[in-house]
Amino acid sequence: MTAPLHSLFRPRSVAVIGAARRRGSISAEVFHNLLERGFQGAVYPVSARSAVVQSVRAYPSVEAIPDDVDLAVLVIPAREVLIAAEACGRKGVRALVVISAGFGETGPEGVALQAELVACAERYGMRVVGPNCLGVLNANPEVRLDATFAPHFPPFGGVAVCSQSGALGLAILDLAKEVGMGVSSFVSIGNRADVSAADLLEYWEHDPDTKVILLYLENLGEPRRFMETARRVSRHKPIALVKSGRTEAGRRAASSHTGALAGLDVAVDAVLGQCGVVRTDTIHELFDVGMLLASQPVPAGPRVAILTNAGGPGIMATDACETRGLAVPPLAEPTRAALREYLPAAASVGNPVDMIASATAEDYERSLRLLLADETIGSVLVLFVTPIVTAALDVARAVTRVAEGSPKPVAACFMGSQGVPEALEHLRQHGVVTYAFPEAAAAALARAARYGVYRERVPALLPPLSVDRSAAQGVLAEQLQEETGARWLSPERVRRLLEAYGIPTPRQAVAHGVDDAVSKAGRVGYPLVFKLVSSTILHKSDVGGVRVGLRDEQELRAAYAELEARLAALGRAGELEGVLLQELVTGGVETFVGATRDEQFGHLVGFGLGGLQVELLRDVVFRAAPVSADDATDMLGAIRGKALLEGFRSGPVVKKAALVELLLRVSQLVEEHPELVELDLNPVIATPTGAIAVDARIRMVR
Ligand code: ADP
Ligand code: MG
């Protein structure tokens, strides 16, 4: 049961439970803010001690209030919260903001108390923000709700903010006021007993005041739900996030490659990227990109034009753009010709366009118009250093005249002191975001451009891959019935499972004893690959258990004898359960495909270079399942050794479509069978015509 959040953001009336008279305490500040910011609804103080709070008649309990109450803000000791929450429930309150601390963050008793609070809220259909939070704020002039104890109220604008930490929330509201970032609403979710970041995304998705969503989170809460929601919302509203508290996943008890390779932060990065969430490292960067996306169009591509009146900053900006994945390409010839017509001979019309110190406001206006009209350009960065001749405010006016209504974003960086504060104010009021230094502007543009690339993608409709689910279920049921309950599937079951999901495997046969091997070799065909089968020996090569390219019966018999001798020498003769004969796959690149189940994120699918190189180079990338065709294509391009897939040094050019399809099939296999906790295909040999899994390990849990 989840009631909507409307009463939280747009309550008609608010009760402050625990409102205090004396300014300076948290409860007094919350009540003061509600009164002073111009809240458009009614506010009621509830106080057990005082009949009047800050000149307003107070009530001894929420139930004594004669009118309806939509939202109650609780600022009382933790042990009194439950009783107050019950009273709110009886009163018909729709939402609670519990600012009080002393809950889940304090230990087992607090955890239990928090659970009781949630249970109480559920009984009455109330939503809960917090506990242990800073509160909720809605800056829309028709609402002006400030149920926080923050000292500053931000200007109204298109940025919604969610902060897990209350302290950081205070800092964020301060900074918003300082840099003039317009906020639609703000929520500090604290211990997140009920309302989570995903809930807020859902609300802001349909909130007409909100254009961009900024999140400060220490963890993703319910990652799967967060992912699904973020993926949907980011298609039309950008989401940017700072995630701190990169808790180490700790040593994973994983016996295969995939589990050991996928760390928690890898998962977080992969998941956020897949959902179109822009990740930043600092709050400042979060604001930098948030303000750009809130007031300017999303860049169509990474190509930036730089317009400047000074060479040095132009070069700095160029470097900053290029190192962040933006391009500063030469301008189209017609643009250059048009610029040359009026700019002095000493000016440079390449990119950056350096109009030199004599540039006037009119030059800025004409040039910016030309750059925005250049079809090869996706965004423009305007740099201005105050010389003696030109007034900064005039240039700012010129810039906003052109930028307003432009379908391409303009970012600005005005340096110097003369007249700059007025210019910055003018730019801000007209929605052109300004940055103190070119690097910050470049970083924001680069992040916005990456978001643009994500959003432009046509959501890949996953063609339903045809698989044989009942065959797969049969294999897994057999495995479960086995008395020993071996966790690793036998080679034969692995093959059947992969086959059921259309994952290509080589022709193969399992044999017991040398004569059986010789007689089955005919089915596989020479030259062949010979491998030991053992449920206790996981890495076959380590014990000399793989022989590649046996050409005839004689070589096969010799290999068999050698294997027996080697195991005997190791004292492991009893572990030989049989041998696997396989078709030899030649002319390919060894890659790695794996899946591992993460407790929080569900299955992660990995791709990298295979064989030995997996462990040596750790050149593996991960995405959360379900993997889309776009995700899979991204994965192929994201490994450092991607050149090896494209005919590096006269090597084979592999068929990428086959690898993409194999990744999709693996993703579907683990999605549909959550009991498969580890799957390692290593190597998958990628050739110019296909991709074949020649070695596979699959582990399941009951
Ligand atoms: P393990 O990983 O247990 O040591 P593999 O089955 O992966 O054993 O074999 C080790 C190596 O032998 C592979 O990395 C690959 O180079 C090669 N190999 C294995 N099977 C084949 C095959 N069917 N065709 C070609 N090469 C193979
Ligand atoms: Mg292997």
Side-chain angles (χ1 to χ4, degrees), residues 257 531 538-541 590 611 681-683 694-697:
H257 300 141
K531 302 178 184 181
L538 273 184
H539 299 286
K540 300 178 285 295
S541 311
E590 293 196 17
L681 308 182
N682 186 21
V694 300
D695 183 31
R697 282 186 257 283

